[in-house]
Amino acid sequence: MIALLGLTACNPVQNAQVSKNYTEAGTNGMGFAAMQSFGPVVTTRTQRANAETAHDFLDLEFRMESGRANPSFSRFEGPITVALKGDVPPTATAEMTRLISRFRSEAGLPISFAKPGDNPSITVEFQPRAQMARVVPMAACFVVPRVQSWAEYKAERDGPKVNWTTMTSREHVSIFVPSDAAPQEVRDCLNEETAQAMGPLNDLYRLTDSVFNDDNFNSVLTGFDMMILRLHYAPELRNGMNEAEVAKRVPAILARINPQGEGGSANFKRIAPRSWVAQVEGAFGPRGSNAQRLQAANMMLSIALAQGWQDARLGFSYYAKGRSLANSDPVQAVAALQEAARIYRAIPGAGLHVAHVDMQLAAVALAAGQSEQAIAFADRAIPAVKRAENASLLATLMLIKAEALQNEGQVAEARALRLDSLGWARYGFGSERQVRARMGEIANLGARGHRG
């Protein structure tokens, strides 16, 4: 069960290993449907007050994920151009075209593809995952300043050239993405890393409606993110400004670009301490045993309670605990997950977070033989997941529901839903082998529940 529950947060989808007893029967003899894709992105405006957005903006701009201060504001000046190079995946150009269109229409950015022979502002280079992992083992994808190739990055990675905190303007940055990633992971990397190549460099766990958040629940740029980029490129700001200079100008800019955010009650939150962030990495990272992940999740929760948090970070701590307990103590896992859902439901714009919790609960219910409950959790989560364009999570929910329907004797309905899920699974997981492996994992949960 842990292999399934590990899907939804923090880790890239790995090359799933097919167990020796998994056969073609895992798809009930069905051929694979064409890969599905999403239509135009529909975003909503942030519901927070401008004063709170200003506070978030400064923490995004002048702090780094490492905890260091970033002394200077920096951005590109003039038109921004993008080039894709390396072993470019088949879906990458279309995803980048779609993203550029969004940057232009929603954030007002002068961005386009570079023409042949141009020196692009942003280079997106695709390299095999194994080669990237040998150099940066913990990163699915990442962005680096002042280099124009993978070879140059490897030569300079330990030197001052790639230090973001020394920048007062941006002329060229490179993004590195696995060439053998699933289409959804390619899209997610392009969304987050291109936004950070142009805009703020930090991630904040308190932001529920943003990709600038390492909980990885949101993977497509949101209305809040586009507003942050519009603010980042406001004409009132200049390269090289310090935090005080930017802070002085931000309120007036926000009043101009987001008038509906004026007034209202601001809820200012401090950045999470590094001790909590370290436990997040332990609870969700690819290394360590499940016992170690549970220990880290318990530490996350202890720190969150000691900090007095009532926001998404407390919800995420309960989520981590529930996820880590799912295999060893389903009863306690459900209790922790229900507490996470309660916290997320009280936060405006956190519907996707609730959906992630519901997926976990649906998987536990399926393994426990509670088919009707698994169907109810899946049905409740699917609309929010579709709006968020998370194909891997959508396919997983559809497959869980199909197994539950199968266990209820609704064989034809289960087969139809399984077939519908395959196009989304191809987008979310990539290769046919990975799709079959995920189907096998969920089928095993259903079989366990049926036996129970």
Side-chain angles (χ1 to χ4, degrees):
M1 190 186 302
I2 292 301
L4 172 64
L5 299 185
L7 165 69
T8 60
C10 288
N11 297 327
V13 177
Q14 301 296 323
N15 292 328
Q17 296 300 312
V18 181
S19 60
K20 65 177 180 179
N21 62 347
Y22 184 63
T23 67
E24 295 292 316
T27 59
N28 290 336
M30 294 182 296
F32 270 75
M35 186 171 66
Q36 289 277 18
S37 60
F38 294 97
V41 177
V42 179
T43 60
T44 57
R45 288 183 175 271
T46 179
Q47 300 179 45
R48 60 171 64 75
N50 278 348
E52 186 175 337
T53 299
H55 177 72
D56 293 336
F57 179 74
L58 294 173
D59 278 348
L60 287 169
E61 293 284 356
F62 291 98
R63 318 286 178 267
M64 300 293 291
E65 291 184 54
S66 64
R68 293 183 299 165
N70 183 28
S72 297
F73 177 82
S74 68
R75 67 185 184 190
F76 291 105
E77 294 294 346
I80 303 167
T81 56
V82 181
L84 308 183
K85 63 183 289 189
D87 187 10
V88 181
T91 60
T93 300
E95 295 288 5
M96 195 73 233
T97 300
R98 187 175 183 231
L99 186 56
I100 286 173
S101 178
R102 289 194 63 203
F103 284 136
R104 294 176 69 90
S105 63
E106 297 178 46
L109 301 182
I111 181 171
S112 62
F113 278 110
K115 296 178 181 178
D118 287 352
N119 185 24
S121 313
I122 301 170
T123 298
V124 183
E125 183 168 346
F126 293 88
Q127 291 286 334
R129 188 190 299 278
Q131 182 164 306
M132 290 178 59
R134 285 194 290 270
V135 179
V136 187
M138 296 297 288
C141 46
F142 57 99
V143 59
V144 181
R146 300 191 182 105
V147 299
Q148 301 190 47
S149 70
W150 177 249
E152 186 180 2
Y153 168 67
K154 288 195 295 181
E156 299 287 351
R157 70 181 188 271
D158 296 323
K161 185 174 182 177
V162 295
N163 185 348
W164 284 103
T165 64
T166 63
M167 295 189 70
T168 56
S169 65
R170 302 185 198 183
E171 295 179 359
H172 188 90
V173 300
S174 284
I175 297 168
F176 300 108
V177 180
S179 57
D180 47 354
Q184 179 168 314
E185 187 180 347
V186 170
R187 179 206 64 188
D188 295 352
C189 284
L190 292 177
N191 269 254
E192 179 168 2
E193 303 306 333
T194 308
Q196 292 198 307
M198 296 187 295
L201 301 169
N202 197 12
D203 286 309
L204 298 172
Y205 281 101
R206 67 182 187 243
L207 301 179
T208 54
D209 57 347
S210 176
V211 301
F212 296 114
N213 186 331
D214 275 336
D215 67 11
N216 286 356
F217 285 148
N218 283 290
S219 54
V220 174
L221 289 162
T222 67
F224 172 81
D225 297 328
M226 290 299 185
M227 186 174 70
I228 289 295
L229 289 170
R230 188 177 290 273
L231 176 55
H232 185 89
Y233 282 88
E236 294 92 333
L237 302 182
R238 294 285 186 273
N239 274 324
M241 282 184 170
N242 61 32
E243 184 174 0
E245 292 170 326
V246 171
K248 182 178 179 179
R249 292 162 174 80
V250 164
I253 300 171
L254 282 170
R256 173 171 59 80
I257 67 175
N258 190 46
Q260 66 271 25
E262 289 296 284
S265 177
N267 184 7
F268 300 116
K269 303 179 186 72
R270 291 183 298 174
I271 292 177
R274 292 299 303 170
S275 57
W276 184 81
V277 174
Q279 298 307 322
V280 172
E281 293 168 354
F284 291 96
R287 298 174 180 172
S289 65
N290 191 57
Q292 290 171 319
R293 292 190 185 96
L294 176 58
Q295 182 180 18
N298 282 326
M299 285 299 299
M300 279 177 66
L301 184 57
S302 295
I303 295 170
L305 292 170
Q307 291 286 322
W309 292 335
Q310 295 296 319
D311 57 29
R313 293 168 293 184
L314 180 60
F316 194 43
S317 300
Y318 276 110
Y319 176 88
K321 181 174 181 178
R323 177 179 175 270
S324 299
L325 283 168
N327 205 42
S328 60
D329 193 341
V331 173
Q332 289 300 313
V334 168
L337 291 167
Q338 287 177 335
E339 185 63 13
R342 182 192 68 78
I343 294 165
Y344 285 140
R345 286 193 187 95
I347 301 171
L352 178 60
H353 295 63
V354 177
H356 276 268
V357 175
D358 280 343
M359 191 284 286
Q360 308 280 358
L361 290 170
V364 174
L366 179 65
Q370 300 170 352
S371 298
E372 290 185 2
Q373 191 64 62
I375 292 168
F377 284 129
D379 284 342
R380 187 168 68 181
I382 283 173
V385 172
K386 286 182 176 178
R387 288 192 297 270
E389 300 196 3
N390 190 326
S392 59
L393 184 55
L394 175 59
T396 299
L397 287 162
M398 294 171 76
L399 290 168
I400 289 173
K401 182 178 177 180
E403 290 299 323
L405 289 169
Q406 181 97 13
N407 287 351
E408 289 290 298
Q410 301 179 51
V411 177
E413 293 87 344
R415 181 180 176 85
L417 185 59
R418 218 175 265 119
L419 182 62
D420 287 345
S421 75
L422 292 180
W424 297 114
R426 288 296 293 271
Y427 184 84
F429 300 118
S431 72
E432 184 174 319
R433 184 170 70 94
Q434 290 170 311
V435 174
R436 290 185 188 279
R438 181 46 48 99
M439 294 179 74
E441 291 166 359
I442 296 172
N444 288 337
L445 289 185
R448 185 191 305 182
H450 191 58
R451 288 194 302 269

